[in-house]
mmCIF file of all heavy atoms in Angstrom:
data_model
loop_
_atom_site.group_PDB
_atom_site.id
_atom_site.type_symbol
_atom_site.label_atom_id
_atom_site.label_comp_id
_atom_site.label_asym_id
_atom_site.label_seq_id
_atom_site.Cartn_x
_atom_site.Cartn_y
_atom_site.Cartn_z
ATOM 1 N N LEU A 146 120.790 52.405 118.545
ATOM 2 C CA LEU A 146 121.340 51.542 117.477
ATOM 3 C C LEU A 146 122.863 51.665 117.439
ATOM 4 O O LEU A 146 123.582 50.659 117.395
ATOM 5 C CB LEU A 146 120.759 51.941 116.119
ATOM 6 C CG LEU A 146 119.289 51.663 115.856
ATOM 7 C CD1 LEU A 146 118.903 52.111 114.466
ATOM 8 C CD2 LEU A 146 119.038 50.160 115.986
ATOM 9 N N TRP A 147 123.317 52.914 117.452
ATOM 10 C CA TRP A 147 124.768 53.154 117.341
ATOM 11 C C TRP A 147 125.512 52.531 118.505
ATOM 12 O O TRP A 147 126.517 51.846 118.351
ATOM 13 C CB TRP A 147 125.046 54.640 117.240
ATOM 14 C CG TRP A 147 126.514 54.936 117.301
ATOM 15 C CD1 TRP A 147 127.230 55.342 118.403
ATOM 16 C CD2 TRP A 147 127.453 54.849 116.234
ATOM 17 N NE1 TRP A 147 128.537 55.499 118.087
ATOM 18 C CE2 TRP A 147 128.715 55.188 116.756
ATOM 19 C CE3 TRP A 147 127.339 54.492 114.881
ATOM 20 C CZ2 TRP A 147 129.851 55.209 115.960
ATOM 21 C CZ3 TRP A 147 128.496 54.502 114.103
ATOM 22 C CH2 TRP A 147 129.717 54.851 114.634
ATOM 23 N N LYS A 148 125.009 52.802 119.719
ATOM 24 C CA LYS A 148 125.692 52.317 120.941
ATOM 25 C C LYS A 148 125.722 50.799 120.949
ATOM 26 O O LYS A 148 126.719 50.185 121.351
ATOM 27 C CB LYS A 148 124.992 52.835 122.175
ATOM 28 C CG LYS A 148 125.415 54.273 122.545
ATOM 29 C CD LYS A 148 124.788 54.679 123.867
ATOM 30 C CE LYS A 148 124.357 56.141 123.838
ATOM 31 N NZ LYS A 148 123.201 56.400 124.717
ATOM 32 N N SER A 149 124.614 50.196 120.515
ATOM 33 C CA SER A 149 124.552 48.742 120.554
ATOM 34 C C SER A 149 125.505 48.123 119.531
ATOM 35 O O SER A 149 126.146 47.119 119.797
ATOM 36 C CB SER A 149 123.107 48.302 120.293
ATOM 37 O OG SER A 149 123.088 47.129 119.542
ATOM 38 N N LYS A 150 125.533 48.710 118.336
ATOM 39 C CA LYS A 150 126.391 48.144 117.302
ATOM 40 C C LYS A 150 126.720 49.219 116.276
ATOM 41 O O LYS A 150 125.948 49.460 115.366
ATOM 42 C CB LYS A 150 125.722 46.942 116.627
ATOM 43 C CG LYS A 150 126.602 46.203 115.653
ATOM 44 C CD LYS A 150 126.188 44.753 115.439
ATOM 45 C CE LYS A 150 125.057 44.618 114.413
ATOM 46 N NZ LYS A 150 125.484 45.001 113.051
ATOM 47 N N PRO A 151 127.884 49.850 116.427
ATOM 48 C CA PRO A 151 128.246 50.906 115.489
ATOM 49 C C PRO A 151 128.316 50.398 114.054
ATOM 50 O O PRO A 151 128.690 49.244 113.834
ATOM 51 C CB PRO A 151 129.656 51.346 115.977
ATOM 52 C CG PRO A 151 129.713 50.920 117.395
ATOM 53 C CD PRO A 151 128.873 49.698 117.485
ATOM 54 N N PHE A 152 127.907 51.230 113.135
ATOM 55 C CA PHE A 152 127.922 50.854 111.699
ATOM 56 C C PHE A 152 128.984 51.723 110.998
ATOM 57 O O PHE A 152 129.395 52.768 111.568
ATOM 58 C CB PHE A 152 126.560 51.085 111.098
ATOM 59 C CG PHE A 152 125.812 52.289 111.626
ATOM 60 C CD1 PHE A 152 126.041 53.534 111.051
ATOM 61 C CD2 PHE A 152 124.911 52.167 112.670
ATOM 62 C CE1 PHE A 152 125.372 54.640 111.540
ATOM 63 C CE2 PHE A 152 124.251 53.282 113.157
ATOM 64 C CZ PHE A 152 124.470 54.506 112.608
ATOM 65 N N PRO A 153 129.422 51.316 109.834
ATOM 66 C CA PRO A 153 130.458 52.078 109.168
ATOM 67 C C PRO A 153 129.970 53.456 108.740
ATOM 68 O O PRO A 153 128.854 53.611 108.204
ATOM 69 C CB PRO A 153 130.768 51.232 107.930
ATOM 70 C CG PRO A 153 129.610 50.321 107.739
ATOM 71 C CD PRO A 153 129.028 50.104 109.080
ATOM 72 N N VAL A 154 130.774 54.472 109.030
ATOM 73 C CA VAL A 154 130.417 55.834 108.663
ATOM 74 C C VAL A 154 131.618 56.530 108.024
ATOM 75 O O VAL A 154 132.742 56.051 108.112
ATOM 76 C CB VAL A 154 129.969 56.650 109.904
ATOM 77 C CG1 VAL A 154 128.788 55.989 110.552
ATOM 78 C CG2 VAL A 154 131.133 56.791 110.875
ATOM 79 N N LEU A 155 131.336 57.652 107.396
ATOM 80 C CA LEU A 155 132.414 58.456 106.805
ATOM 81 C C LEU A 155 133.365 58.968 107.895
ATOM 82 O O LEU A 155 132.915 59.280 109.005
ATOM 83 C CB LEU A 155 131.843 59.671 106.057
ATOM 84 C CG LEU A 155 131.235 59.399 104.669
ATOM 85 C CD1 LEU A 155 130.659 60.694 104.093
ATOM 86 C CD2 LEU A 155 132.257 58.815 103.713
ATOM 87 N N ALA A 156 134.636 59.019 107.562
ATOM 88 C CA ALA A 156 135.585 59.609 108.511
ATOM 89 C C ALA A 156 135.394 61.108 108.553
ATOM 90 O O ALA A 156 134.926 61.716 107.561
ATOM 91 C CB ALA A 156 137.021 59.265 108.084
ATOM 92 N N ASP A 157 135.745 61.710 109.697
ATOM 93 C CA ASP A 157 135.581 63.170 109.835
ATOM 94 C C ASP A 157 136.202 63.923 108.673
ATOM 95 O O ASP A 157 135.647 64.907 108.187
ATOM 96 C CB ASP A 157 136.249 63.632 111.139
ATOM 97 C CG ASP A 157 135.418 63.205 112.354
ATOM 98 O OD1 ASP A 157 134.404 62.492 112.142
ATOM 99 O OD2 ASP A 157 135.795 63.564 113.475
ATOM 100 N N ALA A 158 137.368 63.472 108.210
ATOM 101 C CA ALA A 158 138.092 64.177 107.147
ATOM 102 C C ALA A 158 137.346 64.149 105.836
ATOM 103 O O ALA A 158 137.597 64.992 104.964
ATOM 104 C CB ALA A 158 139.499 63.582 106.999
ATOM 105 N N ASP A 159 136.477 63.157 105.691
ATOM 106 C CA ASP A 159 135.774 63.022 104.377
ATOM 107 C C ASP A 159 134.440 63.755 104.331
ATOM 108 O O ASP A 159 133.669 63.599 103.393
ATOM 109 C CB ASP A 159 135.521 61.532 104.094
ATOM 110 C CG ASP A 159 136.832 60.769 103.910
ATOM 111 O OD1 ASP A 159 137.839 61.430 103.504
ATOM 112 O OD2 ASP A 159 136.886 59.567 104.192
ATOM 113 N N ILE A 160 134.155 64.546 105.368
ATOM 114 C CA ILE A 160 132.879 65.262 105.404
ATOM 115 C C ILE A 160 133.163 66.766 105.187
ATOM 116 O O ILE A 160 134.061 67.322 105.791
ATOM 117 C CB ILE A 160 132.188 65.043 106.767
ATOM 118 C CG1 ILE A 160 131.930 63.558 106.959
ATOM 119 C CG2 ILE A 160 130.881 65.839 106.849
ATOM 120 C CD1 ILE A 160 131.408 63.188 108.312
ATOM 121 N N GLU A 161 132.359 67.348 104.338
ATOM 122 C CA GLU A 161 132.495 68.786 104.054
ATOM 123 C C GLU A 161 132.479 69.578 105.338
ATOM 124 O O GLU A 161 131.601 69.394 106.187
ATOM 125 C CB GLU A 161 131.345 69.258 103.163
ATOM 126 C CG GLU A 161 131.554 69.061 101.676
ATOM 127 C CD GLU A 161 130.488 69.795 100.882
ATOM 128 O OE1 GLU A 161 130.465 71.051 100.974
ATOM 129 O OE2 GLU A 161 129.661 69.146 100.217
ATOM 130 N N PRO A 162 133.411 70.536 105.487
ATOM 131 C CA PRO A 162 133.426 71.380 106.695
ATOM 132 C C PRO A 162 132.103 72.040 106.938
ATOM 133 O O PRO A 162 131.642 72.129 108.097
ATOM 134 C CB PRO A 162 134.542 72.397 106.383
ATOM 135 C CG PRO A 162 135.392 71.741 105.360
ATOM 136 C CD PRO A 162 134.506 70.837 104.545
ATOM 137 N N ALA A 163 131.455 72.522 105.881
ATOM 138 C CA ALA A 163 130.181 73.219 106.046
ATOM 139 C C ALA A 163 129.138 72.291 106.663
ATOM 140 O O ALA A 163 128.230 72.767 107.371
ATOM 141 C CB ALA A 163 129.676 73.740 104.675
ATOM 142 N N LEU A 164 129.261 71.007 106.395
ATOM 143 C CA LEU A 164 128.324 70.067 107.001
ATOM 144 C C LEU A 164 128.765 69.726 108.422
ATOM 145 O O LEU A 164 127.921 69.623 109.332
ATOM 146 C CB LEU A 164 128.263 68.803 106.142
ATOM 147 C CG LEU A 164 127.217 67.755 106.555
ATOM 148 C CD1 LEU A 164 125.844 68.344 106.691
ATOM 149 C CD2 LEU A 164 127.214 66.596 105.576
ATOM 150 N N THR A 165 130.057 69.577 108.602
ATOM 151 C CA THR A 165 130.597 69.207 109.927
ATOM 152 C C THR A 165 130.149 70.218 110.995
ATOM 153 O O THR A 165 129.666 69.801 112.049
ATOM 154 C CB THR A 165 132.120 69.160 109.866
ATOM 155 O OG1 THR A 165 132.535 68.208 108.881
ATOM 156 C CG2 THR A 165 132.684 68.750 111.227
ATOM 157 N N VAL A 166 130.284 71.482 110.672
ATOM 158 C CA VAL A 166 129.962 72.483 111.725
ATOM 159 C C VAL A 166 128.506 72.427 112.092
ATOM 160 O O VAL A 166 128.155 72.565 113.266
ATOM 161 C CB VAL A 166 130.369 73.921 111.216
ATOM 162 C CG1 VAL A 166 129.717 74.215 109.881
ATOM 163 C CG2 VAL A 166 130.010 74.944 112.244
ATOM 164 N N GLN A 167 127.625 72.146 111.122
ATOM 165 C CA GLN A 167 126.192 72.044 111.473
ATOM 166 C C GLN A 167 125.919 70.791 112.286
ATOM 167 O O GLN A 167 125.134 70.810 113.240
ATOM 168 C CB GLN A 167 125.363 72.011 110.183
ATOM 169 C CG GLN A 167 125.457 73.273 109.349
ATOM 170 C CD GLN A 167 124.588 73.219 108.108
ATOM 171 O OE1 GLN A 167 123.397 73.380 108.211
ATOM 172 N NE2 GLN A 167 125.203 72.928 106.978
ATOM 173 N N MET A 168 126.569 69.713 111.898
ATOM 174 C CA MET A 168 126.355 68.449 112.631
ATOM 175 C C MET A 168 126.900 68.542 114.048
ATOM 176 O O MET A 168 126.322 67.977 114.976
ATOM 177 C CB MET A 168 127.056 67.303 111.879
ATOM 178 C CG MET A 168 126.403 66.935 110.555
ATOM 179 S SD MET A 168 124.797 66.172 110.757
ATOM 180 C CE MET A 168 123.707 67.571 110.552
ATOM 181 N N GLU A 169 127.978 69.304 114.213
ATOM 182 C CA GLU A 169 128.507 69.473 115.569
ATOM 183 C C GLU A 169 127.512 70.209 116.442
ATOM 184 O O GLU A 169 127.336 69.884 117.622
ATOM 185 C CB GLU A 169 129.851 70.218 115.515
ATOM 186 C CG GLU A 169 131.019 69.293 115.204
ATOM 187 C CD GLU A 169 132.295 70.056 114.848
ATOM 188 O OE1 GLU A 169 132.196 71.279 114.607
ATOM 189 O OE2 GLU A 169 133.385 69.409 114.787
ATOM 190 N N ARG A 170 126.903 71.215 115.876
ATOM 191 C CA ARG A 170 125.912 71.989 116.644
ATOM 192 C C ARG A 170 124.734 71.091 117.011
ATOM 193 O O ARG A 170 124.331 71.025 118.167
ATOM 194 C CB ARG A 170 125.428 73.185 115.825
ATOM 195 C CG ARG A 170 124.613 74.171 116.624
ATOM 196 C CD ARG A 170 124.069 75.328 115.774
ATOM 197 N NE ARG A 170 123.428 74.927 114.546
ATOM 198 C CZ ARG A 170 122.252 74.265 114.494
ATOM 199 N NH1 ARG A 170 121.636 73.945 115.587
ATOM 200 N NH2 ARG A 170 121.735 73.959 113.319
ATOM 201 N N TYR A 171 124.270 70.356 116.027
ATOM 202 C CA TYR A 171 123.102 69.516 116.317
ATOM 203 C C TYR A 171 123.470 68.388 117.304
ATOM 204 O O TYR A 171 122.680 68.052 118.183
ATOM 205 C CB TYR A 171 122.566 68.916 115.006
ATOM 206 C CG TYR A 171 121.350 68.052 115.172
ATOM 207 C CD1 TYR A 171 120.232 68.554 115.834
ATOM 208 C CD2 TYR A 171 121.298 66.764 114.684
ATOM 209 C CE1 TYR A 171 119.092 67.771 116.009
ATOM 210 C CE2 TYR A 171 120.182 65.962 114.849
ATOM 211 C CZ TYR A 171 119.073 66.486 115.528
ATOM 212 O OH TYR A 171 117.978 65.702 115.684
ATOM 213 N N ARG A 172 124.675 67.879 117.172
ATOM 214 C CA ARG A 172 125.137 66.845 118.115
ATOM 215 C C ARG A 172 125.129 67.383 119.528
ATOM 216 O O ARG A 172 124.791 66.717 120.485
ATOM 217 C CB ARG A 172 126.561 66.379 117.715
ATOM 218 C CG ARG A 172 127.093 65.293 118.621
ATOM 219 C CD ARG A 172 128.444 64.829 118.152
ATOM 220 N NE ARG A 172 129.449 65.909 118.175
ATOM 221 C CZ ARG A 172 130.723 65.747 117.805
ATOM 222 N NH1 ARG A 172 131.127 64.560 117.359
ATOM 223 N NH2 ARG A 172 131.537 66.771 117.838
ATOM 224 N N GLY A 173 125.535 68.649 119.661
ATOM 225 C CA GLY A 173 125.482 69.277 120.981
ATOM 226 C C GLY A 173 124.057 69.356 121.504
ATOM 227 O O GLY A 173 123.798 69.093 122.689
#
Side-chain angles (χ1 to χ4, degrees):
Chain A
L146 290 180
W147 172 263
K148 278 186 220 150
S149 144
K150 187 156 82 65
F152 37 85
V154 300
L155 283 178
D157 288 4
D159 295 332
I160 301 172
E161 275 191 64
L164 185 54
T165 302
V166 54
Q167 296 182 78
M168 290 292 95
E169 277 168 348
R170 191 183 49 69
Y171 182 52
R172 182 177 61 181

